[in-house]
């Protein structure tokens, strides 16, 4: 029971953030002239859009239109098609088509323009990926099922707004050879955003992000999350991670301060807390996992108390 | 030209760094010997002096003043030449940074000076044909009162992190210091002084730049002075003379340096055999590459491969 409330060692958040190393970045400092609207197909990489001036509307895959105001930032996960426009339900043209009528910059940042004469909205947009698969997994966890998240200007740390503004200004100034500098600034932005989010979620959930650092444990985590109530044993977990039992225990201790069994229990508690299955469904799952139902439910109640208190 | 400079800046692969945020009292003098590591110092408050030790080039610093010492020369940072110097190790032991990297050496009250310092190990910095030609001392002055100053924004963020020490601050500070380091290099490359002679000047010369690009992009080709001169639309003798004047070395020597650098990088990455690397970068055989590495870099190929720094490499 001692690990129901996870007491992370100092530096655990650092180790999570260190995995956020972006790669393959492209930047667009965009001035849109009325009327404008653009569709972005869900590519392999992630994207962010920050409103520098004016306002815009954002729509995730088949979702409602959301208004973005100056200073707001939207982060979009890989493969999530989305649209940006002047008004909800505005006519949107594919990015490739818009790009064909734009003035390209000689540098990495590109200046685009809509159909009108003067800009009504200015945005900083970036498409990027991560060096490590763990970075992608962390982003997916942060963005949740919808695949995107809107950060309102008022919620953002002052530093984040300043750094975004700095990136925009460097892009706009078209100073030469700024690519490596902006790329590193984007890494800082991602780390600040991720930290802000990590600090807003219950501590117990962080353990799951810590195992992502290790490719073997990350592989096991995928299997545990897809079927947490399978009758897992230490042997089966070790096999899924392609490790010996002792190596598995060592790795878990190194990355999470938890034993494999404690981590499995955390996964199961977290799954029930998140999915809220019916009583009969839960009983069925516990039976499938060969778990003592009254004991698990007592633990679950304590876990729920901790999680709600932290939230 | 920008693509070429970008390519060079992208070679900056930081493998480790130490960073310090120092709040200093009225009298301070620290003698640093970074042992071959690149370091920078930025004064965000107060005044000070930085000079190579013992005796050498020196610069007075005011807020926004920064110095970069790319080659790890021993140097003194002080409030005044009259303050007795204290070795960095002793200074750190005395001040005992409470959070690992945050140094507070104050007598009482508000600091007289605030200094932000970074020490970096950069992969192959000393072997890189461009970085090895950087001056021993780079000095710049930024206006911290300018609301659009990139340095002001970054220093404020460093200070915020150092003061709050929120979880994850080390991961964020390390990346902020990388940005500062890279931006100092970029600023230097864009200054007229850096473009008057050397590699950048060669890229400003339309004829030399075409030859330089061929060396950089196809180092494995069997280039000769004649074929490079042909690419530059110059006679062989004119080209050789002009290249020597501008870059400071002969075309063949520069080609050799570039091939060695690329071979060094390839061996560090560890994905190709020695013979494959030798073939890819224009060496007749692996023993020729090994000989060149021992002669010019002072390293055996096996030492480069065994280097523990490959893991965790931070690549732009």
């Amino acid at each position: 029971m001692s690990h129901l409330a996870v007491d992370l060692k100092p530096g655990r958040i650092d180790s999570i953030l260190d995995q956020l190393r972006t790669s393959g970045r492209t930047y667009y400092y965009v001035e849109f002239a009325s009327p404008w609207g653009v569709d972005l197909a869900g590519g392999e990489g992630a994207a962010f859009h920050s409103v520098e001036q004016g306002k815009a509307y954002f729509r995730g895959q088949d979702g409602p239109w959301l208004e973005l105001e100056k200073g707001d930032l939207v982060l979009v996960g890989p493969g999530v098609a989305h649209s940006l426009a002047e008004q909800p339900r505005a006519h949107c043209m594919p990015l490739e088509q818009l790009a064909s009528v734009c003035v390209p910059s000689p540098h990495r940042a590109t200046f685009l323009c809509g159909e009108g004469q003067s800009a009504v909205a200015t945005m900083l947009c970036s498409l990027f990926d991560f060096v490590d698969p763990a970075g992608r997994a962390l982003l997916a966890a942060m963005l949740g099922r919808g695949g995107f998240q809107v950060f309102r200007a008022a919620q953002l740390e002052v530093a984040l707004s300043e750094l975004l503004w700095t990136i925009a200004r460097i892009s706009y100034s078209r100073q030469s050879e700024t690519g490596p500098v902006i790329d590193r600034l984007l890494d800082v932005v991602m780390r600040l955003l991720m930290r802000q989010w990590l600090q807003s979620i219950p501590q117990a959930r962080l353990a799951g992000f810590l195992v992502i650092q290790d490719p073997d444990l990350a592989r096991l985590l995928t299997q545990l999350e897809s079927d947490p109530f399978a009758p897992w044993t230490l042997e089966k977990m070790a096999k899924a991670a392609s490790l010996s039992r002792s190596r598995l225990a060592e790795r878990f201790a190194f990355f999470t301060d938890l034993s494999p069994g404690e981590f499995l229990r955390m996964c199961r508690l977290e799954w029930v807390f998140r999915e809220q299955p019916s009583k009969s469904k839960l009983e069925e799952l516990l039976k499938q996992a060969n778990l003592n139902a009254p004991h698990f439910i007592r633990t679950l109640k304590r876990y729920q108390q901790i999680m709600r208190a932290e939230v | 030209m920008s693509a070429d400079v970008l390519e060079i800046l992208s070679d900056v692969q930081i493998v480790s760094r130490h960073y310090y945020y120092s709040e200093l009292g009225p009298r301070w003098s620290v003698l640093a010997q970074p042992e071959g590591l690149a370091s920078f110092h930025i004064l965000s408050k107060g005044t000070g002096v930085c000079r190579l030790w013992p005796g050498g080039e020196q610069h007075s610093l005011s807020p926004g003043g920064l110095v970069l010492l790319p080659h790890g020369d021993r140097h003194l940072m002080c409030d005044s030449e009259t303050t007795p110097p204290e070795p960095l190790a002793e200074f750190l032991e005395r001040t005992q940074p409470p959070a690992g990297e945050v140094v507070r050496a104050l007598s009482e009250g508000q600091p007289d000076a605030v200094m932000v310092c970074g020490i970096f190990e950069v992969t192959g910095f000393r072997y890189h044909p461009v970085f090895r030609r950087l001056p021993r001392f780079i000095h710049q002055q930024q206006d911290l009162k300018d609301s659009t100053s990139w340095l002001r924004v970054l220093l404020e963020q460093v200070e915020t992190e150092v003061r709050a020490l929120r979880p994850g601050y080390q991961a964020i500070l390390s990346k902020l210091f990388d940005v500062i380091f890279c931006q100092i290099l970029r600023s230097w490359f864009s200054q007229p002084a850096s473009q008057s002679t050397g590699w950048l000047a060669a890229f400003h010369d339309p004829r030399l730049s075409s030859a330089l690009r061929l060396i950089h992009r196809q180092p494995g080709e069997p280039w000769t002075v004649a074929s490079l001169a042909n690419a530059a639309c110059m006679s062989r003798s004119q080209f050789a003379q002009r290249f020597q004047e501008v870059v400071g070395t002969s075309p063949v020597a520069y080609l050799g340096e570039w091939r060695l650098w690329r071979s060094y990088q390839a061996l560090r990455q560890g994905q190709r055999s020695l013979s494959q690397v030798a073939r890819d970068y224009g060496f007749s055989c692996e023993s020729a590459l090994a000989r060149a590495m021992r002669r010019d870099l002072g390293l055996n190929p096996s030492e480069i491969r065994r280097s523990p720094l490959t893991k965790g490499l931070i690549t732009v």
Side-chain angles (χ1 to χ4, degrees):
Chain A
M1 294 304 119
S2 60
H3 284 292
L4 278 185
V6 177
D7 188 15
L8 290 171
K9 286 180 184 168
R12 288 298 195 200
I13 298 255
D14 291 286
S15 66
I16 294 176
L17 298 181
D18 274 334
Q19 298 167 82
L20 292 172
R21 290 184 286 141
T22 60
S23 65
R25 315 91 168 169
T26 312
Y27 305 94
Y28 301 94
Y29 188 74
V30 193
E31 290 190 15
F32 287 112
S34 183
W36 68 273
V38 57
D39 280 330
L40 292 100
E44 288 188 2
F48 84 75
H49 309 286
S50 160
V51 182
E52 300 298 311
Q53 292 293 334
K55 69 176 183 181
Y57 283 82
F58 169 86
R59 185 180 62 168
Q61 225 155 12
D62 303 323
W65 286 93
L66 302 169
E67 185 176 349
L68 301 177
E69 295 187 330
K70 182 180 174 181
D72 290 351
L73 169 80
V74 57
L75 199 55
V76 187
V80 178
H82 56 284
S83 307
L84 290 161
E86 182 181 8
Q87 292 290 339
R89 291 173 290 281
H91 169 68
C92 295
M93 64 172 75
L95 177 66
E96 301 73 32
Q97 198 179 329
L98 183 70
S100 67
V101 297
C102 292
V103 183
S105 154
H107 305 301
R108 198 165 180 177
T110 308
F111 179 85
L112 301 178
C113 197
E115 295 170 9
Q117 295 299 310
S118 59
V120 291
T122 307
M123 300 188 72
L124 173 68
C125 305
S126 177
L127 307 176
F128 60 94
D129 205 343
F130 292 96
V131 174
D132 300 318
R136 274 186 162 213
L138 280 166
L139 182 70
M142 177 163 74
L143 299 180
R145 287 180 183 161
F148 72 89
Q149 193 169 341
V150 174
F151 297 86
R152 298 292 174 192
Q155 302 170 328
L156 290 176
E157 290 180 33
V158 176
L160 256 169
S161 305
E162 287 239 357
L163 289 172
L164 286 168
W165 176 77
T166 303
I167 293 176
R169 195 173 43 76
I170 294 175
S171 304
Y172 182 66
S173 68
R174 302 186 188 187
Q175 293 171 31
S176 55
E177 301 94 39
T178 51
V181 176
I182 300 183
D183 291 347
R184 287 176 158 97
L185 280 170
L186 179 61
D187 281 353
V188 179
V189 167
M190 287 308 304
R191 286 173 188 215
L192 287 168
L193 278 174
M194 181 61 71
R195 180 175 68 176
Q196 187 171 330
W197 178 70
L198 288 172
Q199 289 186 319
S200 74
I201 63 170
Q203 283 271 299
R205 235 175 239 170
L206 288 175
F209 300 123
L210 292 167
V211 303
I212 296 173
Q213 297 170 80
D214 182 279
D216 296 325
L217 297 188
R219 200 165 50 246
L220 169 62
L221 178 65
T222 307
Q223 295 190 39
L224 289 180
E225 285 185 334
S226 67
D227 193 3
F229 285 91
W232 289 103
T233 60
L234 188 58
E235 286 79 6
K236 285 180 183 173
M237 289 170 73
K239 193 176 175 191
S242 310
L243 294 168
S244 69
R245 287 186 304 172
S246 58
R247 290 289 293 159
L248 182 74
E250 279 171 23
R251 296 266 188 103
F252 264 104
F254 181 80
F255 285 108
T256 69
D257 309 331
L258 300 175
S259 71
E262 286 167 333
F263 184 80
L264 173 62
R265 184 179 55 190
M266 196 71 81
C267 284
R268 287 170 167 165
L269 292 168
E270 173 61 24
W271 187 89
V272 175
F273 181 76
R274 190 177 63 233
E275 301 294 330
Q276 301 191 335
S278 65
K279 191 178 173 191
S280 58
K281 174 72 178 168
L282 179 58
E283 283 172 354
E284 184 191 324
L285 290 171
L286 294 177
K287 194 175 172 187
Q288 179 190 319
N290 301 322
L291 287 170
N292 177 320
H295 181 257
F296 184 88
I297 289 168
R298 276 200 304 277
T299 310
L300 177 65
K301 283 181 180 166
R302 290 183 51 204
Y303 183 76
Q304 286 169 330
Q305 282 172 357
I306 291 168
M307 299 292 269
R308 286 180 185 134
E310 287 196 28
V311 171
Chain B
M1 185 195 73
S2 65
D4 302 292
V5 177
L6 278 175
E7 197 177 308
I8 297 301
L9 281 175
S10 297
D11 280 343
V12 178
Q13 297 176 332
I14 296 166
V15 286
S16 68
R17 84 282 286 159
H18 299 282
Y19 41 89
Y20 304 99
Y21 178 91
S22 307
E23 296 181 333
L24 302 157
R27 286 174 67 76
W28 52 277
S29 180
V30 183
L31 182 60
Q33 186 160 15
E35 293 174 352
L37 305 179
S39 61
F40 70 73
H41 306 282
I42 304 171
L43 210 58
S44 63
K45 181 182 177 186
T47 56
V49 175
C50 178
R51 79 171 160 94
L52 293 176
W53 181 268
E57 186 177 351
Q58 78 168 44
H59 290 280
S60 298
L61 299 177
S62 54
L66 63 89
V67 288
L68 169 67
L69 296 108
H71 306 300
D73 287 298
R74 197 201 281 202
H75 59 281
L76 182 73
M77 294 291 302
C78 58
D79 67 315
S80 141
E81 295 276 7
T82 58
T83 307
E86 180 180 21
L88 177 63
E90 288 175 26
F91 173 78
L92 291 176
E93 194 174 335
R94 179 170 64 80
T95 53
Q96 292 185 330
E101 296 84 5
V102 183
V103 182
R104 292 198 173 90
L106 286 166
S107 44
E108 276 183 3
Q110 291 293 309
D112 290 81
V114 174
M115 191 161 60
V116 174
C117 311
I119 300 176
F120 292 83
E121 179 167 12
V122 184
T123 309
F125 212 65
R126 72 185 74 169
Y127 310 125
H128 195 288
V130 173
F131 293 128
R132 71 193 291 183
R133 289 187 167 81
L134 285 173
R136 293 174 72 192
F137 211 134
I138 290 174
H139 172 244
Q140 294 173 8
Q141 182 66 46
Q142 299 267 334
D143 182 5
L144 295 184
K145 288 177 186 160
D146 176 1
S147 64
T148 64
S149 160
W150 62 267
L151 187 60
R152 183 192 61 78
V153 172
L154 294 174
L155 289 180
E156 281 177 3
Q157 182 56 27
V158 166
E159 186 174 348
T160 303
E161 290 296 328
V162 163
R163 295 209 177 283
L165 296 183
R166 293 164 59 191
Y169 77 94
Q170 295 195 37
I172 289 167
L173 279 175
S174 67
K175 195 50 81 172
L176 280 166
F177 275 77
D178 290 358
V179 178
I180 294 172
F181 181 61
C182 199
Q183 175 67 2
I184 293 172
L185 282 176
R186 193 203 72 78
S187 294
W188 188 82
F189 280 131
S190 66
Q191 282 177 358
S194 70
Q195 297 174 5
S196 54
T197 58
W199 169 83
L200 271 178
F203 266 109
H204 280 296
D205 183 314
R207 292 183 297 181
L208 290 185
S209 65
S210 50
L212 216 47
R213 255 182 221 117
L214 287 174
I215 292 175
H216 285 180
R217 290 174 191 173
Q218 299 164 37
E221 292 296 311
W223 299 113
T224 60
V225 178
S227 63
L228 290 170
N230 190 38
C233 301
M234 296 169 84
S235 74
R236 187 180 175 287
S237 58
Q238 271 182 327
F239 172 74
Q241 189 183 348
R242 178 77 183 139
F243 197 99
Q244 176 77 46
E245 279 170 10
V246 176
V247 181
T249 188
S250 72
V252 170
Y254 187 84
L255 173 64
E257 284 182 40
W258 192 260
R259 285 173 168 170
L260 264 187
W261 162 247
R262 285 298 180 213
S263 303
Y264 173 89
Q265 272 189 315
L267 288 177
R268 286 293 301 269
Q269 285 160 3
Q271 288 164 347
R272 282 180 275 176
S273 67
L274 185 61
S275 59
Q276 178 71 50
V277 171
R279 210 167 33 245
D280 290 348
Y281 294 111
F283 292 89
S284 56
C285 59
E286 57 186 274
S287 57
L289 171 59
R291 269 198 310 275
M293 286 189 149
R294 276 194 293 272
R295 184 188 64 229
D296 296 338
L297 307 183
L299 294 169
N300 281 313
S302 56
E303 288 177 273
I304 297 170
R305 278 199 192 286
R306 275 203 306 270
S307 167
L309 300 174
T310 308
K311 197 177 176 197
L313 200 68
I314 293 170
T315 309
V316 180

